[in-house]
Each structure stands twice: as C-alpha cells, then as structure tokens.
Amino acid sequence: MFFRQKKSGNRRYLQIVENRWEDGRSKQRVIATLGRLDQLQQSRQLEGLLRSGARFCESVLLLAAHQRGETTEMRTRSIGPAMIFERLWQQTGCQQVIDRLLEGRKFEFPVERAVFLTVLHRLFPSGSDRAAEKWKATIDVGGMEGLQLHHLYRAMAWLGEVLADDQQFAATPFAPRCTKDLIEEDLFAFRRDLFTSLDLVFFDTTSIYFEGEGGETLGHHGHSKDHRPDLKQMVVAAVLDGEGRPVCCELWPGNTTDVTTLVPIVDRLRRRFSIGRICIVADRGMISAKTIDELESPQRRWQYILGARMRKQKEVSAEVLSRGGRYQTVHPPRRRQKDPSPLKVKEVVVEGRRYVVCLNDEQARKDAHDRQSIVASLRDQLKQGDKSLVGNRGYRKYLKPIAGRLAVDEAKIKAEARYDGKWVLRTNTDLPAADVALKYKQLWMVEHVFRSTKSILETRPIWHKCDATIRGHVFCSFLALVLRKELEDRLESAGHKLEWADVTRDLMNLQYVEVEQEGKRFLLRSEAQGTCGRVFAAAGVALPPTVQQIEAP
C-alpha cells in the first residue's frame, strides 16, 4: 500500500491505494480517501496519523529516535567493501583455491582471512600491512577476530614461500616458483570455461621501489620507471588475456631488463597453463633482434605483434617510414565523442620482415600543435639567453650548437614531423594489417588497466626484509586486480560505466551504526547512495535491512 495524491479541479486529495493482481495485470484500488491534502497538513492530522501508526513499526521509531539523538551509539563500521568483494572472492575461486592449498598446514590463525583482509585493503586506501591491520577496525568483515599484524606477515610469507625442488619445473631464470604460482594456476583452471583458449597474451611491466633494503635478493638498482634511481627496486610484470583478465604476475630483481624477460615468460606460460598456439602482444620495450630470433626459432615459431622503436631502429626510421603507399581507413574521423579514435594503416615489407604503419590523424594534429608551442616558446627563451635551456629535455631535442651558441635545429623540427600521430608494429602473423593494429590497441586497454591500478600494484611502502613476504605482499595486489576486473566486467555487462573512485567511496560510506536503546542493541544501515545500488545489483548482492536487532555481548 502507498499514499497517492488525487487532483480534482484546483484541489488535491490524499488517498491510500493498494496494488492488486487481477486478470494477469496489476490494478490499483483506493482503500480510503483521507481528505484534502492542504487541510490535513494545516490541521497536522496527517502527522498525528503517521505518529499513531509508527507505534506499530519499531524500525521507524528507532530510526526517528536515533535522528533525535535519543539512542546510545556504540560503534560504526563500513559494510560495503566486504559485502561486495567477499562475494567476488568466492565466485572467482580465490577463497576455494587458497583453502585447498592450506589443507594440511597447521597454522594457528585463519590464513585465508588474513589474505582476504590484505587484498580488500589494496582495493580501498591501500598501503602497508601495518595500515591494513589498523583499517580492520573500521570495516565489518567476518572471521577477522584475533587477527594481528604478525599474522598478516606470516600470511604474506606463505604466499611467497618457495616450493620444493621437484615443483620448480617452470621457474624462470629470474625467480623461483612459489605458493603464489600454484594459486595462479588453480585460478586459471577454475575459470577455464571462460577461456576458449589463451591465444592472445598481453605483457607489461612496472617497477616498484623500496623504502627499506628490498629483501634478500629482490632489491636492486635498475632502470626506475618511477624516476627514483637512488632507491632499490623490484620489477613487477602482469600477464593478461585478450579480454584484459589477469592471468599471472611475475616478480623479479630490480636489475632485470624488459627485453630479457619476454621469451622466458612465454616459455613458462606454455608450461604452466598447458597452452599451445599463442600470439604475444607487447610494447616496444620488449623488442630486440635477439628476442625476435628466439620467437621465430624452429623450436618456438610463436606469433607476435610488437611495438617498434621508430626513432631508435634504423630500419624503421630509414626504410619503413619513408616507403610510400596508400593508407587503409580502419576508423574514420570521429563525429561523436564516444566514437573510436581515427585510425589508418598500411603494410610495409622489408626483406621479408612485415611492418604495419598506423596513423591517427587526430593525434598527428595534436603532436604538431604541441611541437609548434614548444618551438615558439624555445625561440622566445633563446632571445633571453641559452644557458638555462640545456637541462630542459623538451627544449634540448630541438637545439644545436652554432659558433659557440645554441640555436634552433630546423632540420630536427622537420624530421620530427615524420612521426606525428604514427606508431609502427612488427609482426609475423598473417592477420590483415587492420586486425594487427586493433590487436595492438587492445594492449593500450591493458596498459590503461595497468596504469589505473598502479597504486594497487605499487602497494608502497614496502618495509619487509624477506623475499617471501615481499612476494606475498605484492601478490595480494594482483589478487585485488582480479577482483577489480571482475566487478568492472559485471558493471559493464549491466550497462554501467562508473568511476572507480566513486565506487570505493560509496561502498565505504555504506555503514552499520550499532546503537543501544532500552537495553536492546540494533544495527542501523545508512542509506545506499551514489553508485551503491548499481554495484550491489551487478555483484548479485542484496542490500541488508535498514534495521536489524542483534544480541548484546
């Protein structure tokens, strides 16, 4: 039943109406007409009626009393994070896989719960394990009673624990097989029905610097993508399938270079996940003559789509980009904001080596405009002196020394225009040039996922001293990435495109307030605001009741 306003002439009447199902359709029936709405409001009869009825609804009275400050508030906890991600933790197989691997291990604390807490923390404020242990008090998660910081450390050490020698069959030269590898393999098997095959593999890396010493063997100085060469670091790689779903992560010493990792990793993928034919899609940091020789060797013959270094590879800059030929339009210029970015492609073959040149006219115009702005600013700066310009990387590429002074390098400006809006791919597939370009653009989607979750993958600060706990600490971030991708896929399937910051904020704001009134204790749920309703529906989780009585401790 519900209230309804009924308009008659210039007057409005308040009615009580019910919905009934008759003859296969819903019909409304007026139970009573209470009178003119303006008179009921002026005489306060409506308020009296509602107060009288509220006596028979304890929940309404309790909420009203709480709003008036007449209840004793005990504590407040966020319930959104655990309710959503506990369901995904189970449905992705994470809980089942970890529980199975823990069989026979006699830990005196719930290791799976400790791992889940750490993973959940990565999805929200993130940070150290010490911060996760403190954060536990602000959320409502089952089975966390008695968990302390040293339990989290021991759980991390178990995840990064090196396996026995007879289980090192697929180890890389850079890192041993650990418990985390078994979890990845079991998760892949758990979701195997979702994979027709792992034909397409995207591979990308990032570096994570350490606040401390960086463990026993992982912390080394190397090429820092965080621009912190003064600190030791480790390298974290993520392998994703064609849909952007995480398959596994790799953790290496910080002095491991990208170009040396691709072949060992794909060898390992084939052995770990029993895959046959595979096409590797990777960025230009992975390409080298030796790598391509390995990929094309008779014992491998793997297909690949690799980004080429346009400026550093002489064959690309001198041969590929200078070849003529007509571009094929893949995507025309955009008419609407949501249209795909414009794309043209052409194929170039140099002594049997196949390249695909890709052109985005929209990006080309932006590149030209940016360069013009830099050069115009550079000319103005040169009028005031040239000493301060040498250290500016944006300016330095367009400068040359003439008679002891710096001047604008006009030839360099003209040469740079050749690269506007372009990227070049090297491939040995027989896919049409347009498909090669589109497959590579999927890597950008994966890189977007990688960048958007970099705060998850970084998981700083890392103060652990042992390699095992460091590996476990970072692997929890990989499991967080698994849960995030699962939720984002479900939201997309439901037609929702939500900002991740909005999702996490709204879930944290969904709370239970524990109150006491007249010797009884209750949980009062806050209103589900913002994205909450859509997130709960996409995850298949029902919102809890607004008021729930609980037993006093």
Side-chain angles (χ1 to χ4, degrees):
M1 291 186 292
F2 57 93
F3 288 108
R4 183 182 71 181
Q5 294 184 47
K6 176 69 174 180
K7 187 176 181 181
S8 178
N10 294 327
R11 296 173 179 173
R12 294 179 181 274
Y13 294 85
L14 189 64
Q15 297 177 331
I16 298 177
V17 182
E18 72 169 353
N19 281 325
R20 293 192 305 174
W21 195 260
E22 293 182 4
D23 301 327
R25 55 185 296 185
S26 178
K27 293 185 178 181
Q28 293 183 352
R29 182 172 72 92
V30 177
I31 295 176
T33 300
L34 301 179
R36 284 171 49 182
L37 180 59
D38 57 339
Q39 293 177 349
L40 291 170
Q41 291 173 331
Q42 291 172 7
S43 65
R44 306 182 73 87
Q45 288 178 304
L46 181 58
E47 292 181 17
L49 176 65
L50 293 176
R51 280 197 300 270
S52 177
R55 291 181 300 165
F56 304 100
C57 184
E58 186 178 41
S59 298
V60 174
L61 290 173
L62 182 62
L63 290 170
H66 180 64
Q67 290 174 353
R68 294 193 300 269
E70 297 173 0
T71 59
T72 303
E73 187 170 317
M74 311 301 291
R75 59 175 176 167
T76 301
R77 291 168 294 170
S78 293
I79 60 174
M83 291 195 70
I84 294 300
F85 291 105
E86 184 90 58
R87 175 67 61 87
L88 301 180
W89 182 249
Q90 297 165 357
Q91 293 183 345
T92 55
C94 293
Q95 184 177 41
Q96 177 181 323
V97 166
I98 290 174
D99 282 340
R100 187 186 65 79
L101 290 175
L102 285 168
E103 291 177 1
R105 299 295 296 264
K106 297 181 179 179
F107 289 98
E108 76 283 3
F109 69 98
V111 177
E112 179 271 333
R113 292 287 80 191
V115 174
F116 178 64
L117 172 63
T118 308
V119 171
L120 190 64
H121 187 239
R122 297 287 190 274
L123 290 162
F124 287 86
S126 193
S128 67
D129 293 327
R130 185 181 299 275
E133 194 267 339
K134 294 179 180 178
W135 183 68
K136 174 172 67 76
T138 68
I139 60 171
D140 185 48
V141 188
M144 300 290 178
E145 300 80 7
L147 276 184
Q148 299 178 21
L149 180 60
H150 69 92
H151 295 140
L152 302 188
Y153 289 162
R154 290 182 62 190
M156 299 303 99
W158 173 72
L159 292 173
E161 187 177 83
V162 176
L163 299 176
D165 291 343
D166 61 351
Q167 293 182 283
Q168 295 294 327
F169 67 93
T172 67
F174 320 112
R177 277 175 57 78
C178 306
T179 303
K180 79 163 195 67
D181 296 271
L182 299 179
I183 295 174
E184 291 167 345
E185 290 154 16
D186 284 355
L187 285 178
F188 182 83
F190 186 89
R191 309 192 309 263
R192 190 77 191 222
D193 60 325
L194 299 178
F195 294 80
T196 53
S197 61
L198 197 61
D199 288 338
L200 198 62
V201 170
F202 297 98
F203 181 62
D204 202 0
T205 64
T206 189
S207 59
I208 302 175
Y209 61 79
F210 293 99
E211 306 289 351
E213 287 300 312
E216 301 149 302
T217 63
L218 287 171
H220 284 272
H221 292 286
H223 173 66
S224 175
K225 298 181 180 181
D226 298 301
H227 308 293
R228 291 301 305 268
D230 56 313
L231 296 176
K232 291 182 179 180
Q233 67 174 23
M234 67 184 296
V235 175
V236 180
V239 178
L240 295 91
D241 72 355
E243 302 302 320
R245 289 187 295 257
V247 176
C248 63
C249 71
E250 301 290 345
L251 313 173
W252 306 314
N255 56 356
T256 308
T257 59
D258 285 353
V259 75
T260 62
T261 60
L262 185 58
V263 172
I265 284 304
V266 179
D267 276 341
R268 189 179 189 211
L269 282 174
R270 297 187 68 177
R271 298 184 65 186
R272 290 180 66 192
F273 303 110
S274 301
I275 54 179
R277 181 177 176 272
I278 191 171
C279 179
I280 308 133
V281 185
D283 207 350
R284 57 185 179 272
M286 310 292 172
I287 195 171
S288 72
K290 183 178 179 181
T291 298
I292 290 178
D293 288 343
E294 290 281 355
L295 296 176
E296 294 180 339
S297 63
Q299 63 269 30
R300 291 190 176 88
R301 298 188 183 277
W302 296 334
Q303 293 188 328
Y304 58 80
I305 300 172
L306 302 176
R309 297 179 182 271
M310 293 190 297
R311 293 169 175 81
K312 293 186 177 180
Q313 288 181 259
K314 187 175 180 181
E315 183 170 272
V316 175
S317 60
E319 295 281 341
V320 176
L321 291 176
S322 63
R323 294 278 184 94
R326 179 175 298 180
Y327 281 99
Q328 169 195 349
T329 299
V330 181
H331 294 312
R334 280 195 266 215
R335 295 184 178 180
R336 297 175 299 178
Q337 185 68 26
K338 293 184 179 180
D339 290 343
S341 57
L343 176 63
K344 299 177 181 178
V345 297
K346 69 176 180 180
E347 184 174 323
V348 176
V349 179
V350 180
E351 297 180 1
R353 294 178 290 275
R354 186 182 181 211
Y355 294 91
V356 175
V357 182
C358 308
L359 172 64
N360 179 338
D361 287 327
E362 192 176 278
Q363 184 64 42
R365 289 190 294 271
K366 181 181 183 303
D367 291 344
H369 179 270
D370 291 346
R371 184 173 57 256
Q372 290 169 4
S373 298
I374 291 173
V375 172
S377 177
L378 175 59
R379 295 185 194 278
D380 290 338
Q381 292 289 332
L382 282 172
K383 295 176 183 178
Q384 302 172 20
D386 59 10
K387 291 185 178 180
S388 63
L389 301 178
V390 177
N392 188 311
R393 295 182 63 184
Y395 289 154
R396 191 169 56 203
K397 64 189 296 185
Y398 299 116
L399 291 172
K400 66 177 180 179
I402 297 179
R405 294 181 60 86
L406 294 177
V408 174
D409 190 338
E410 301 293 346
K412 181 65 174 178
I413 295 173
K414 184 178 180 180
E416 280 295 304
R418 301 173 62 224
Y419 305 111
D420 288 350
K422 293 177 183 175
W423 69 96
V424 177
L425 308 176
R426 170 84 180 268
T427 184
N428 64 346
T429 67
D430 55 4
L431 293 170
D435 289 348
V436 171
L438 293 175
K439 293 293 185 187
Y440 188 78
K441 285 191 72 174
Q442 285 184 257
L443 177 63
W444 293 353
M445 175 267 296
V446 172
E447 289 178 339
H448 174 71
V449 173
F450 210 101
R451 285 192 300 271
S452 67
T453 56
K454 199 163 188 278
S455 61
I456 293 177
L457 288 168
E458 285 172 345
T459 66
R460 285 193 292 265
I462 299 178
W463 294 98
H464 296 299
K465 297 180 180 179
C466 300
D467 285 353
T469 49
I470 291 173
R471 285 191 290 260
H473 180 93
V474 178
F475 180 65
C476 282
S477 302
F478 172 80
L479 292 177
L481 184 56
V482 170
L483 298 188
R484 173 171 173 167
K485 185 66 171 78
E486 180 68 19
L487 180 57
E488 288 179 332
D489 286 348
R490 294 189 184 198
L491 287 168
E492 184 177 348
S493 297
H496 305 311
K497 190 173 183 180
L498 307 178
E499 292 290 336
W500 187 251
D502 294 338
V503 171
T504 55
R505 181 198 63 231
D506 295 338
L507 288 178
M508 281 296 294
N509 288 339
L510 186 67
Q511 299 176 334
Y512 259 153
V513 181
E514 186 177 336
V515 300
E516 183 175 354
Q517 187 185 43
E518 298 178 356
K520 298 179 181 180
R521 288 201 177 184
F522 301 87
L523 294 177
L524 308 184
R525 176 178 62 79
S526 65
E527 183 181 354
Q529 298 179 340
T531 64
C532 265
R534 286 167 286 178
V535 172
F536 270 74
V541 179
L543 280 166
T546 306
V547 178
Q548 180 180 344
Q549 185 174 352
I550 59 174
E551 294 183 4

